[in-house]
Amino acid sequence: MGGSGLRTLLDSVRYEVLPAKATEEKVLAHVPRDVVVTVTASPVKGLEPTLGLTVRLAAHGYRVVPHVPARLLRDDAHLKDVVDRLGEAGVDDVFVPAGDADPPAGPYDGALPVLRRLSELGSPFAHVGVTGYPESHPLIDDDLTIQAMWDKREHATYIVSNLCFDPRVLGEWLARIRRRDVTLPVHLGVAGPVQRAKLLAMATKIGVGESTRFLTKHASWFLRFAAPGGYSPDRLLARTQEALTAPSAGVAGLHLFTFNQIAETERWRRAVLERLDPPSA
């Protein structure tokens, strides 16, 4: 990838982290304040760990984007409480996926009803993200996922693409959603420099039930990381250069899945930026 294109993406980076015990400490130690931090939510542990970490990181001066899965919301009162709590913390950006909780905690079984309700509440967040699926969703037809993005466009301000390792699929997906007049900017979901052993250790720490779900849902990820030569975000970005930098693609930046390998991810980003802008002699 050309230096200017990659530099732009890395300057607009977002780090996705899990609300584990040591996450706050890791973020404070390794993540600059100008990097956006997004905090996932667990169908097993509920929203509280996400909200708590979000509020604490916001107090430290980070721009934080909590995940607020529709299927974790108990009712309208719960949603209103989440909105008020995040507003008090100065959070102006949320990511609203459907979520994996089965059964749902309340009446919301998908993101669109929550997005509509937020609009009815006066659009309390300046930025609202929704999910995009470059690779097929295991339960939803591709045409339906693109239609869902179209339906959400009035309530959302950007798309975060789910993790994808295939440069061809990424390029075709970007072209396809633009042909369908989905014009929201995309933050491209990319795995950071993840080590398979550490990923496995992180998955098991989530909890027995959560770990089983994680490993079952993402078995192909482990195959990618264990392949000869391992996984390299550099190679993926290089191979998607044309698709990502095309003016029609509308890629706003990278959404890096850190899997809580936060120090490693930031070290990789700094190394790439230094290669692009080597220090003067």
Side-chain angles (χ1 to χ4, degrees):
M1 174 177 285
S4 61
L6 181 53
R7 188 181 303 108
T8 298
L9 293 177
L10 290 170
D11 283 340
S12 305
V13 76
R14 299 154 57 101
Y15 285 173
E16 179 173 302
V17 304
L18 293 89
K21 184 177 181 180
T23 304
E24 181 179 359
E25 179 183 346
K26 289 181 178 181
V27 170
L28 291 174
H30 302 292
V31 180
R33 294 300 194 279
D34 60 348
V35 170
V36 176
V37 179
T38 80
V39 184
T40 67
S42 161
V44 173
K45 297 182 180 179
L47 269 176
E48 185 53 38
T50 299
L51 298 177
L53 180 58
T54 295
V55 170
R56 294 194 302 275
L57 289 178
H60 288 301
Y62 287 96
R63 182 179 171 197
V64 193
V65 183
H67 293 212
V68 182
R71 297 170 72 91
L72 286 182
L73 293 166
R74 297 187 298 272
D75 49 34
D76 278 357
H78 187 199
L79 174 59
K80 183 64 165 58
D81 179 67
V82 170
V83 168
D84 291 344
R85 186 170 174 184
L86 293 176
E88 290 172 2
V91 174
D92 69 349
D93 192 340
V94 293
F95 176 63
V96 184
D100 296 327
D102 187 17
Y108 300 118
D109 62 356
L112 185 56
V114 175
L115 296 171
R116 287 172 173 158
R117 184 65 183 135
L118 287 174
S119 293
E120 292 169 357
L121 291 173
S123 300
F125 302 105
H127 310 279
V128 179
V130 295
T131 308
Y133 296 97
E135 296 185 337
S136 296
H137 189 284
L139 301 176
I140 309 173
D141 183 80
D142 289 347
D143 285 335
L144 293 180
T145 63
I146 294 177
Q147 181 63 44
M149 285 186 287
W150 170 264
D151 294 337
K152 296 169 187 174
R153 74 195 188 284
E154 295 180 3
H155 309 281
T157 60
Y158 65 90
I159 295 166
V160 177
S161 72
N162 208 355
L163 191 58
C164 179
F165 295 96
D166 190 322
R168 179 187 57 80
V169 169
L170 278 173
E172 290 178 354
W173 176 74
L174 285 168
R176 189 177 179 194
I177 65 171
R178 298 316 183 198
R179 286 198 302 269
R180 291 282 296 272
D181 291 328
V182 176
T183 60
L184 295 174
V186 172
H187 292 268
L188 194 75
V190 174
V194 182
Q195 296 179 20
R196 181 175 178 269
K198 289 187 176 182
L199 179 60
L200 182 60
M202 181 279 300
T204 57
K205 286 179 182 178
I206 297 173
V208 176
E210 185 83 347
S211 174
T212 301
R213 179 195 301 267
F214 183 94
L215 293 171
T216 301
K217 184 177 179 182
H218 303 302
S220 64
W221 294 3
F222 291 90
L223 296 176
R224 294 276 188 174
F225 297 135
Y231 164 74
S232 166
D234 304 63
R235 287 197 299 270
L236 178 63
L237 293 173
R239 292 169 183 170
T240 53
Q241 172 183 355
E242 185 175 348
L244 301 188
T245 57
S248 59
V251 175
L254 297 181
H255 181 98
L256 286 174
F257 292 82
T258 70
F259 302 104
N260 276 18
Q261 295 182 37
I262 296 167
E264 295 88 340
T265 301
E266 176 61 11
R267 190 158 50 242
W268 166 79
R269 185 179 79 103
R270 288 174 182 263
V272 175
L273 287 173
E274 287 178 4
R275 288 201 302 271
L276 296 172
D277 292 308
S280 301

